Amino acid sequence: MTDIRYLAPGTLDEAVGAYAAAAGAARILAGGTDLLVQMRAGVVRPGLIVDIKKIAEMTTIEETPEGGFRIGAAVSGARLAEHPRFGKVWPGVLEGINLIGSKQVQGRASPGGNLCNASPAGDSVPAMIAAGAVVTIQGPNGRRQMPVEAVPAGPGRTNLAPGEILVSFTLPPQPAGTGDAYLRMIPRTEMDIAVVGCGACITLEDGVVTQARIGLGAVAPTPLLVGPAAAALIGSRLEEAALAAAAAACSAACRPIDDKRGTIAYRTKVAGVLLRRCVAIAADRAGRA
Amino acid sequence: MNDMTNKWIGQRTIRPDGAEKVTGRAAYAADTTMPGMIWGKVLRSPHAHAVIRSIDTAKAEALPGVKAVVTRADIVDFPLDKPVMLGIQDMRWMSRNVMAREKALFHGHPVAAVAATSESIAAEALRLIEVEYEVLPHVIEIDDALRPDAPILHDFLRFEGKPSNIAGKLEHKLGNIEAGFAEADVVIERSFTTRPVHQGYIEPHACLVSVAADGKTTIWSSSQGQFMVRAMTALLTGLPQSDIRAIPAEIGGGFGGKTIIYLEPLATLLSKKSGRPVKMVMSREEVMRASGPTSGSKSTVKIGATRDGRLVAAQGTFWLQAGALPGSPIRGAAGCGFAPYTIPNVVATGFDVVSNRSKVAAYRAPGAPIGAYAVECVIDEVAEALGMDPLELRLKNAARQGTKAAHGPVYPRIGFMETIEAAQAHPHYNTPLGEAPAGRLRGRGVASGFWFNAGGESSAQVNITEDGNVVVTTGHPDIGGSRASIANITAELLGIDYKRVSVLIGDTATIGYSNLTGGSRVLFASAMVVTQSAEKVITSLKERAAKIWKIDPEAVAWENGEARPVSENAGRFPPLSLAELAARATETGGPIGAGVQLNTTGAEGGFATHLCDVEVDVDLGIVRVLRYTSFQDVGRAVHPSYVEGQMQGGAAQGIGWALNEEYIYDRQGRVENAGFLDYRMPVCSDLPMLDAVMIEVPNPKHPQGVRGVGEVPLVPPLAAVANAVHDALGKRFYALPMSPPRVLERLEG
Ligand SMILES: Cc1cc2nc3c(=O)[nH]c(=O)nc-3n(C[C@H](O)[C@H](O)[C@H](O)COP(=O)(O)OP(=O)(O)OC[C@H]3O[C@@H](n4cnc5c(N)ncnc54)[C@H](O)[C@@H]3O)c2cc1C
C-alpha cells in the first residue's frame, strides 16, 4: 500500500532527472495501455510515474530535411493515422501501430510504449525493424542512438540504461520504388495478440529487389531482424525460389516457445507463410510507389 | 388465446430495461453501496491439490483496517454420507466449493476471506494469512483421472467398490442394442474430445451483504435466482431463510454460470462478524479460475443404419469433467444426444469424473452440446457412407409426435421435422458455396440438437394501479427478455397498450418462491402464472362491472381493455374501461390484483437445425464462418427479437467453443489463460450476421404455446462447424477446439 507520485514534466531534462533520481522505483507513462493494466494486475508497483505526454519532442511528428520522419515516442496511433503523409510513405509501419488494440486503445497507445514494453509480440516493432528505424534515447549521460531492433533485450526487458528514456523514432528517407507492409497472425480478427508478426520493406528497380529488410515478431524472446531472409530476396525478381528461400530463412530464424498462444511447429511454419504474404503486399506497394 | 391476430404477443416491443442499460443507469450488483461498507477479498489456493494443514489468520486480523476473517471453520459443513440436495445441487459439494475444507482441490480454491476498510488493505491482509499446505499430486485430464494409479481427489468416493475419481454414472436404455447393430448395414464408431469452456458472462460475480445486529440479512447480488441465493446462503451460514432478503440486481450475463453462489455466504459471514456491510467483486481472473466453466469431455459414439437410411442402433458413452467436486452435466450429454431421432435401440451412458479443476457450473443446455457434437458428427459420417444428403438422413429419422426417446418421454406435437424442412428449403442450403480465394477452401455443414427445457415453480402478482395501469411482479432475474415478453402477454390478455404494463422482478421478501432462471424455463413458467393471475384479475374486473351495472357477472365480457355487458344486457350500459373500474375499486370491493403460485409442468423439449458455411485458410489453419443460419422450433415467439437474440447468442457461443475457446493448464495445474485476451471468445468481427429462422409450432401444453428457446441454440453449433470444416478439407476432426495450430497440424499430418 505504497503511495504513488505522479509527475508530468514539460521538458525532457526534467523527466530524465526525476526518472533517474527515483532509481528503479519509477516508471515512464506514455499511453499507459500497458502500464496501467500491469499496475492493476499487481505486476508492477511503481513509486513514481513520469508522464511524458507534456514533452513536445515526444508527441510530435516531423519530416526530416532528408525526407525521413521523426516520430515522438509518445505519439498515439490515432495521431499518426491522422498525419497527412506518414501513412502514404510508411503504410506498413502505420498498419503495425494501428493494429494495436481497439479505437479506444489507439487514442493512447504509442510506438514508444509498444517497444519499451518489450513484448516479443508488439505489433509495431517488426515493421519498424523492416523500415530501418533508429531510436534516439536520452539519459543522465546524454543522448545516444541505436537501431530499433537493439532496444528489446528479452520479454519485458530493454537495453535502455537506468534513467534512460526513449525519445523518438527516426525513419530514413526512402529510395524510389520502396514499399512496406506488416501482417500478423491472430486466431481472431481483432482484440488479440500476434502469434506471429511479420514486417517487410522492399525496394524494387525494374522488378528486381535492390533492398529488403524483414522483421519478425512473437517467434523469439525479442523481435528479430532476419538478415538471411532479406539476402534471399535481394537480387531476385521475387521468383518462387527466392520466396521459398526467404520463407525458409524466416522459419529458421524462429526460436519460439510452445505456449497458450501457439506451438513451436505452428509459429515456425506461419513465419514463412506470413513472409510470403507480406512481401507480396510490400512489393505491390513498391511497384506503385 | 394464441393466434396470429394477437395484438401484442409476437410484437417487437421496446425492451423495458433498454433505456436504463444504454444510459448506464441500470444497477448491477457491483454498483450497490451502503454507508459503512467494507471490502471482502478471497485468499485462493496456489496449489491444484494440497492438504491444508493449518491456517493462521492472526497477522491478518491484527492489520489495521481489517474487520473480519473467515475460514473453513465458519462455513456449515454437511456429513458426507448422505446427499443434501437443493434442486440439482448437492450442498455437501457446494460447502466445499465456496471454501476448501480438508484439502484445496484446485488452483484458485478459496481458503480464507477477509473484509477490510479498503480493497488494498484487504489484499494486504490476504498476504498475511499463513497457510500450511502439503502439496499432493494433481490430475486435470479425464484419461489421467481414470488411470488406476491416478491421485484420488476424495477418499469418500467409491466406484464399483473402489476409491475412484468417477463420482457417478447414468444410463439410458431403449430396445435391444445388439439386435439393433445386427440389423445395420453401416456402422460408424468414433471418439471425440472437447475442452472445458467458460460461459464468458461480461459481469463478474459480485455482491453486497449487510447483516444487521438482529441477524436480519440483506443480499444484493448478481445471480440467476434470488431464491437460490437465499437458500444456499442460509444452508451454508446457518441463518434461517426468513432472516435473509435476497435482492436480485440487474444481471450482466449468466448463461447458467450464476445458478450457484460463490461470494454470498462469505460476504454474509464477514458482515456478521464485522457488523459492517461487505462488498465482494471477483476479478476477471478469479471468474476464469474459480467459477464454473462447463466440462471438458471425451466420448465414443457408435451408430448403425440400414442401407436405406434408417438409424437402427445408437450407443454413446460420455465422460465429463466435473471439476473438483461431483456434478457434471452427464444427464444433458447422455440424454440429449440421440433425442432428436427415432432410433429403436439406444444405450447412452454418462460418467461424472472429478479432477483438480474448478467445479463446473451450468452452461446453456448443460452437457447437451457435448453429446450432440459427437452424435451429429457421426451422423454426418453415416450420411456420407450411405451417400445420402445429411439433412435428408436427419429428416428420415427425425423424432416426431409419438417418438419414444431413450431418456424417457414420448413426444407430443414437436416441430423438429419442420426445422429440417425449413433448412432444406432455405436459400442458404440452396446457394452454392462459391469459389474460395487462392489458398482457401470452403465447406458447408449441418447439425441438429435437442434440449429438455423445464417447468417448475413460479410465482406472479398482477396488480392494477389506482389509475388503471398494471404492475406485474415475477420472481426470476431477467437474462433473456422475460420482462418484455411478460409485458406483451399481459397487454394482450388485458387488452391494453403494453406501455401501461410495468414488469418488475421481486426480491425474496416481495414475491413468492420462484425457481431460478435456468433450463429455458422462465417464460414458459412465468407466462403460466402471469396468465392465471391476469385471468383472475379479469374475472374480478367483470364482477365489479356487474356490481356497478347490477347484472349477473356471467353477462359481462372483457374485450379490448374494457368490460361490456353481453347477451340480453348487450348495449344497455356503456362499457367500463380498466381506468374507470380502477377508479371505482374501493366501492366495488377494494384493491384489484391477483397472484398465482404454481409448480408448472408441460415444458416440452426444443429442437433446432443449424447450417454453417466456413472458409479455411489452409496455410494458417484459420477457420472463418462465412454464413450461419439457425432453424428452431420456438413454440410461440412472444417477443421475436429476443428469440432471435437467443438463437444468435447460442450460435456465437457454439462457434467459439468449436474454434478457439479452451482452458489451458500448465504443469502445476494452473489455468494459463485466465482472461479474455487468451481465452478466445469470438468478437463481433469474427462472425457474419447470424441468421435466425423461427418456426412456430405451439406447445400444446402452454397457454401461449411457449417452448423454452434459450438453450437449444447452443446444442448444434459444435457439430455444424465441425461438419463444415470436414466438407471444406475432406478431413475430419475429432477434437475441439479446431484452433489454427490444430487445423494446420491435421492438414500437414
Ligand atoms: C485492450 C488492449 C489491446 C491491446 N492490443 C495490442 C495489440 O493488438 N498489439 C500490441 O502490440 N499491443 C497491444 N496492446 C498493448 C499496448 O497497447 C501496446 O503495447 C502499446 O503500444 C503501449 O503503448 P503505451 O503508450 O500505452 O505504453 P505505456 O503503457 O505507457 O508504456 C509501456 C511500457 O513502456 C514504458 N515506456 C513507455 N514509453 C517509454 C519511453 N518513451 N521510454 C522508456 N520507457 C517507456 C513504460 O514504462 C511501460 O513499462 C493492447 C493493450 C490493451 C489494453
Side-chain angles (χ1 to χ4, degrees):
Chain A
M1 285 170 294
T2 40
D3 287 337
I4 301 172
R5 279 194 310 136
Y6 169 86
L7 286 182
T11 68
L12 199 47
D13 288 337
E14 280 176 80
V16 168
Y19 186 47
R27 284 287 173 145
I28 300 295
L29 173 79
T33 60
D34 279 315
L35 183 64
L36 298 185
V37 174
Q38 289 161 7
M39 283 171 62
R40 288 201 71 164
V43 181
V44 292
R45 299 154 182 268
L48 170 69
I49 288 176
V50 182
D51 186 340
I52 53 173
K53 290 192 293 298
K54 298 232 154 56
I55 302 168
E57 188 181 359
M58 308 198 60
T59 53
T60 46
I61 307 162
E62 46 181 58
E63 295 196 47
T64 60
E66 314 80 67
F69 281 88
R70 208 197 54 79
I71 306 166
V75 168
S76 71
R79 281 256 179 282
L80 206 56
E82 283 166 4
H83 190 274
R85 281 204 7 103
F86 183 79
K88 294 201 176 77
V89 181
W90 293 105
V93 173
L94 187 62
E95 274 161 2
I97 294 170
N98 287 165
L99 273 175
I100 295 170
S102 56
K103 250 218 153 50
Q104 294 90 326
V105 171
Q106 278 291 307
R108 290 267 156 186
S110 67
N114 199 230
L115 182 63
C116 294
N117 188 54
S119 157
D123 274 311
S124 70
V125 186
M128 284 281 195
I129 291 176
V134 169
V135 297
T136 300
I137 294 162
Q138 184 164 325
N141 301 324
R143 284 202 170 207
R144 60 182 181 128
Q145 294 202 315
M146 61 167 101
V148 73
E149 60 271 19
V151 175
R157 291 184 298 117
T158 68
N159 288 315
L160 300 190
E164 280 189 326
I165 298 178
L166 190 90
V167 180
S168 61
F169 296 81
T170 304
L171 283 80
Q174 275 183 0
T178 299
D180 80 328
Y182 174 72
L183 283 180
R184 66 175 179 180
M185 188 283 157
I186 53 172
R188 289 186 290 209
T189 46
E190 269 182 18
M191 298 308 288
D192 215 328
I193 183 163
V195 176
V196 179
C198 179
C201 183
I202 302 284
T203 304
L204 291 178
E205 243 178 81
D206 302 327
V208 176
V209 178
T210 56
Q211 290 183 35
R213 281 174 68 91
I214 304 296
L216 276 183
V219 294
T222 61
L224 303 175
L225 170 67
V226 191
L233 297 174
I234 292 170
S236 80
R237 293 181 165 273
L238 299 178
E239 305 85 350
E240 174 53 30
L243 290 170
C250 280
S251 294
C254 294
R255 283 174 282 121
I257 48 170
D258 262 329
D259 73 356
K260 59 193 174 190
R261 292 174 183 154
T263 57
I264 292 173
Y266 183 76
R267 287 186 153 122
T268 306
K269 162 93 203 277
V270 165
V273 175
L274 289 192
L275 177 278
R276 286 168 175 271
R277 292 185 184 183
C278 200
V279 164
I281 299 168
D284 183 55
R285 287 173 178 164
R288 281 191 268 119
Chain B
M1 211 278 314
N2 172 53
D3 61 52
M4 299 301 158
T5 66
N6 290 157
K7 183 149 183 235
W8 296 108
I9 292 174
Q11 290 300 310
R12 298 170 189 263
T13 51
I14 292 172
R15 54 192 286 175
D17 53 330
E20 295 243 306
K21 283 182 177 161
V22 297
T23 56
R25 282 179 194 221
Y28 294 88
D31 296 328
T32 318
T33 55
M34 271 189 93
M37 183 183 92
I38 59 175
W39 293 87
K41 280 199 188 295
V42 177
L43 180 70
R44 297 179 181 278
S45 169
H47 307 294
H49 196 191
V51 174
I52 301 173
R53 288 196 177 284
S54 64
I55 305 173
D56 184 346
T57 61
K59 285 188 189 141
E61 280 168 271
L63 183 71
V66 172
K67 300 291 175 191
V69 180
V70 300
T71 65
R72 55 190 175 183
D74 300 289
I75 305 275
V76 173
D77 191 16
F78 298 93
L80 290 165
D81 52 352
K82 64 172 195 308
V84 184
M85 300 310 290
L86 190 84
I88 58 167
Q89 301 298 338
D90 190 328
M91 296 311 291
R92 292 178 298 172
W93 316 143
M94 208 48 66
S95 163
R96 287 174 150 68
N97 195 46
V98 302
M99 190 67 86
R101 197 153 282 280
E102 305 84 8
K103 294 204 281 184
L105 295 164
F106 61 93
H107 176 250
H109 200 165
V111 173
V114 303
T117 48
S118 74
E119 284 189 88
S120 51
I121 296 175
E124 186 70 33
L126 294 184
R127 284 190 278 274
L128 295 175
I129 297 175
E130 290 164 6
V131 186
E132 201 188 328
Y133 294 101
E134 178 193 331
V135 179
L136 301 171
H138 69 275
V139 60
I140 303 285
E141 304 298 338
I142 293 173
D143 281 338
D144 297 333
L146 296 179
R147 257 190 256 288
D149 60 346
I152 297 293
L153 269 74
H154 306 291
D155 47 19
F156 51 85
L157 282 183
R158 291 270 183 292
F159 186 72
E160 292 172 347
K162 290 196 281 285
S164 172
N165 289 322
I166 298 180
K169 179 184 174 184
L170 169 148
E171 195 164 63
H172 295 303
K173 278 189 178 172
L174 187 70
N176 179 334
I177 195 75
E178 285 80 25
F181 279 117
E183 207 189 320
D185 300 307
V186 169
V187 175
I188 307 257
E189 178 173 3
R190 297 285 181 258
S191 293
F192 301 84
T193 61
T194 68
R195 307 290 298 165
V197 294
H198 199 270
Q199 299 83 349
Y201 32 85
I202 296 299
E203 181 206 20
H205 299 265
C207 68
L208 170 62
V209 180
S210 168
V211 183
D214 60 358
K216 293 279 186 271
T217 299
T218 311
I219 302 175
W220 290 264
S221 75
S222 175
S223 82
Q224 289 176 239
Q226 61 275 44
F227 291 91
M228 173 280 296
V229 169
R230 181 177 75 176
M232 286 196 181
T233 306
L235 283 163
L236 295 177
T237 60
L239 289 168
Q241 288 193 12
S242 53
D243 273 1
I244 301 176
R245 180 175 181 190
I247 302 176
E250 198 63 62
I251 177 171
F255 309 105
K258 292 178 183 166
T259 55
I260 57 175
I261 56 174
Y262 299 93
L263 300 175
E264 289 88 339
L266 306 182
T268 301
L269 292 166
L270 289 168
S271 177
K272 200 172 155 191
K273 281 196 177 182
S274 63
R276 307 273 288 266
V278 174
K279 177 142 133 183
M280 298 182 83
V281 181
M282 278 197 202
S283 66
R284 176 73 52 203
E285 190 181 333
E286 287 179 293
V287 170
M288 298 298 288
R289 285 194 198 290
S291 74
T294 193
S295 307
S297 70
K298 75 172 206 157
S299 36
T300 299
V301 164
K302 179 177 171 187
I303 294 178
T306 58
R307 205 163 290 116
D308 62 347
R310 264 185 317 116
L311 303 181
V312 287
Q315 185 161 17
T317 310
F318 307 92
W319 288 268
L320 270 64
Q321 282 171 314
L325 293 150
S328 67
I330 48 178
R331 182 175 156 265
C336 296
F338 301 119
Y341 304 105
T342 304
I343 310 177
N345 308 295
V346 177
V347 177
T349 314
F351 291 99
D352 188 25
V353 184
V354 293
S355 67
N356 297 106
R357 317 180 35 234
S358 55
K359 174 175 167 49
V360 299
Y363 180 22
R364 272 182 121 162
I370 291 170
Y373 166 56
V375 171
E376 294 292 316
C377 285
V378 172
I379 289 193
D380 207 56
E381 286 200 56
V382 171
E384 192 180 30
L386 293 169
M388 258 178 105
D389 173 89
L391 285 179
E392 202 52 48
L393 177 66
R394 284 176 173 82
L395 185 63
K396 190 175 168 106
N397 295 281
R400 59 205 74 186
Q401 189 164 359
T403 293
K404 164 96 177 135
H407 69 279
V410 174
Y411 296 133
R413 176 78 173 91
I414 53 174
F416 179 45
M417 292 175 77
E418 284 83 346
T419 69
I420 303 171
E421 286 161 351
Q424 286 176 318
H426 195 270
H428 183 166
Y429 204 57
N430 296 293
T431 305
L433 280 164
E435 202 168 321
R440 301 189 185 199
L441 294 171
R442 290 183 179 175
R444 176 168 294 156
V446 310
S448 296
F450 165 87
W451 174 246
F452 307 116
N453 292 329
E457 306 90 334
S458 281
S459 302
Q461 177 71 31
V462 175
N463 288 334
I464 306 300
T465 59
E466 298 95 290
D467 61 355
N469 292 311
V470 186
V471 177
V472 183
T473 308
T474 64
H476 318 101
D478 175 2
I479 61 173
S482 54
R483 280 171 290 191
S485 300
I486 287 166
N488 282 1
I489 290 172
T490 308
E492 189 77 47
L493 292 167
L494 289 171
I496 57 173
D497 192 293
Y498 92 104
K499 288 196 193 115
R500 291 173 61 191
V501 183
S502 285
V503 184
L504 305 178
I505 298 152
D507 64 59
T508 56
T510 59
I511 187 72
Y513 176 76
S514 298
N515 209 326
L516 47 73
T517 298
S520 300
R521 61 175 297 272
V522 165
L523 190 62
F524 171 83
S526 59
M528 280 188 170
V529 285
V530 167
T531 298
Q532 293 191 14
S533 303
E535 283 166 351
K536 285 190 176 183
V537 165
I538 291 169
T539 302
S540 168
L541 289 166
K542 292 197 290 191
E543 283 165 6
R544 288 160 197 261
K547 199 167 184 181
I548 291 167
W549 292 327
K550 301 194 175 58
I551 62 174
D552 183 358
E554 296 291 309
V556 180
W558 187 260
E559 280 167 23
N560 286 325
E562 42 188 36
R564 288 165 196 265
V566 289
S567 57
E568 72 270 22
N569 297 307
R572 277 184 56 207
F573 311 101
L576 281 165
S577 69
L578 182 58
E580 287 167 319
L581 287 166
R584 297 178 69 174
T586 306
E587 69 184 81
T588 57
I592 310 171
V596 167
Q597 298 178 278
L598 277 183
N599 181 28
T600 64
T601 58
E604 297 300 333
F607 296 85
T609 298
H610 290 192
L611 295 181
C612 173
D613 294 354
V614 298
E615 185 173 279
V616 186
D617 179 327
V618 294
D619 293 311
L620 297 181
I622 297 177
V623 178
R624 295 261 183 263
V625 175
L626 296 179
R627 187 171 185 182
Y628 200 98
T629 313
S630 322
F631 305 83
Q632 187 173 323
D633 171 14
V634 301
R636 182 76 167 102
V638 173
H639 192 297
S641 303
Y642 270 114
V643 176
E644 288 164 350
Q646 291 291 323
M647 293 168 70
Q648 292 167 322
Q653 287 181 314
I655 291 167
W657 193 337
L659 294 181
N660 280 307
E661 289 178 42
E662 62 177 317
Y663 269 59
I664 302 169
Y665 288 87
D666 69 9
R667 286 221 181 82
Q668 283 74 43
R670 296 175 297 213
V671 176
E672 285 193 294
N673 57 338
F676 282 149
L677 177 57
D678 289 302
Y679 180 83
R680 292 188 164 102
M681 295 176 68
V683 296
C684 279
S685 55
D686 292 341
L687 300 171
M689 185 64 193
L690 300 165
D691 292 316
V693 178
M694 298 177 288
I695 294 150
E696 299 192 82
V697 178
N699 177 356
K701 301 182 183 173
H702 190 273
Q704 284 84 25
V706 168
R707 292 181 201 269
V709 299
E711 289 170 290
V712 191
L714 183 50
V715 185
L718 282 53
V721 177
N723 290 336
V725 170
H726 162 255
D727 188 45
L729 303 180
K731 291 191 176 187
R732 294 212 178 253
F733 285 76
Y734 297 104
L736 297 184
M738 294 177 287
S739 59
R742 296 220 180 87
V743 171
L744 207 60
E745 199 184 336
R746 182 89 175 81
L747 280 172
E748 307 211 311

